[in-house]
Amino acid sequence: MVMMQDKPIASVFQQMAGGAFPPVLETFDRNKTIFFPGDPAERVYFLTKGAVKLSRVYEAGEEITVALLRENSVFGVLSLITGNKSDRFYHAVAFTPVELLSVSIEQFTKALQDNPELSWIMLRGLSSRILQTEMMIETLAHRDMGSRLASFLLILCRDFGIPNGNGITIDLKLSHQAIAEAIGSTRVTVTRLLGDLRDEDNQVISIQKKKITVHNPVALSQQFN
């Protein structure tokens, strides 16, 4: 996965649109799988709208969220590093309704060869992904669900947050069920914990049209410690 700020890879995908094999536009509803672990790594994806969850599935059936990708992210590129096209490493699922473009891995490899600067951009993006994955693992290490929820909301503030006069609004429409799945909890527990954070006497967050605003990130970080 690569997360872009100046969207240089977006322009690469736009240039490919005029070629003999243009990118394929795909849409996925929330919770729909984009690819499974073990699927052939044949295509590279550019996320144009929404958010995608990457997770690892273990033998016991436990699924651990390792990253949430935002718009203007490229993912499905691990085989470019490992050279192994036979095996997807992650389970990629639409965390929200998503739109994305996909191209063959051969096309993307040629684009990298034609524009060496893209390799440096991808390295920066991978570094950001590694940091987010470390934060997600730390979040899931908490036994207390309140601490998991607080850590997860702070990660979303970092990667999807829009500062405003009232705090930081997470620019995703999040259902309680989606949050529960991401932190390994239940919808009932998440609803109760969010209610505690919205308490009028100590309002740490507010929710409007499924978008969460964190009014005081420091207070949130200390809420369940």
Side-chain angles (χ1 to χ4, degrees):
M1 180 282 296
V2 184
M3 292 187 291
M4 317 314 304
Q5 298 298 329
D6 47 358
K7 303 183 182 180
I9 290 188
S11 64
V12 171
F13 275 77
Q14 291 166 358
Q15 291 169 10
M16 291 181 185
F21 301 98
V24 176
L25 175 64
E26 301 181 64
T27 61
F28 293 85
D29 294 331
R30 192 182 84 81
N31 280 341
K32 293 298 183 181
T33 290
I34 300 167
F35 55 75
F36 288 100
D39 282 353
E42 297 173 341
R43 302 188 71 79
V44 174
Y45 299 90
F46 177 72
L47 182 59
T48 59
K49 184 178 181 180
V52 169
K53 179 177 73 172
L54 296 184
S55 59
R56 284 285 290 150
V57 182
Y58 294 91
E59 292 183 0
E62 185 179 16
E63 188 162 353
I64 302 298
T65 300
V66 296
L68 285 176
L69 317 183
R70 61 188 178 190
E71 293 177 6
N72 303 316
S73 297
V74 172
F75 63 103
V77 298
L78 190 61
S79 60
L80 292 175
I81 300 172
T82 64
N84 182 4
K85 291 177 58 177
S86 64
D87 189 12
R88 291 287 190 193
F89 190 69
Y90 295 115
H91 184 201
V93 176
F95 190 69
T96 68
V98 304
E99 292 181 1
L100 52 83
L101 297 171
S102 70
V103 297
S104 71
I105 199 163
E106 290 81 9
Q107 284 178 279
F108 196 75
T109 299
K110 185 177 185 304
L112 288 173
Q113 294 170 346
D114 294 342
N115 188 350
E117 182 186 1
L118 289 180
S119 297
W120 172 243
I121 293 167
M122 287 183 62
L123 179 61
R124 283 172 23 211
L126 287 169
S127 298
S128 178
R129 217 296 296 286
I130 290 170
L131 176 60
Q132 191 196 59
T133 296
E134 289 178 346
M135 294 170 68
M136 287 298 301
I137 292 172
E138 183 178 347
T139 292
L140 295 173
H142 292 296
R143 294 183 180 179
D144 176 71
M145 285 300 169
S147 297
R148 284 193 187 188
L149 175 62
S151 296
F152 182 63
L153 292 178
L154 291 171
I155 291 173
L156 294 181
C157 284
R158 170 186 175 268
D159 292 329
F160 296 88
I162 300 176
N164 54 53
N166 295 319
I168 301 174
T169 297
I170 298 169
D171 191 25
L172 286 174
K173 290 185 177 180
L174 296 165
S175 69
H176 294 188
Q177 183 63 35
I179 296 172
E181 291 169 1
I183 65 173
S185 185
T186 66
R187 182 186 59 79
V188 172
T189 298
V190 166
T191 298
R192 174 177 58 80
L193 292 171
L194 289 173
D196 292 342
L197 293 173
R198 296 172 69 183
D199 183 81
E200 291 182 1
D201 294 332
N202 185 28
Q203 191 179 55
V204 179
I205 68 168
S206 60
I207 304 175
Q208 186 173 14
K209 295 181 179 180
K210 292 189 176 182
K211 288 193 175 183
I212 298 174
T213 296
V214 177
H215 299 292
N216 189 333
V218 174
L220 177 61
S221 68
Q222 299 171 345
Q223 187 73 19
F224 297 104
N225 291 336

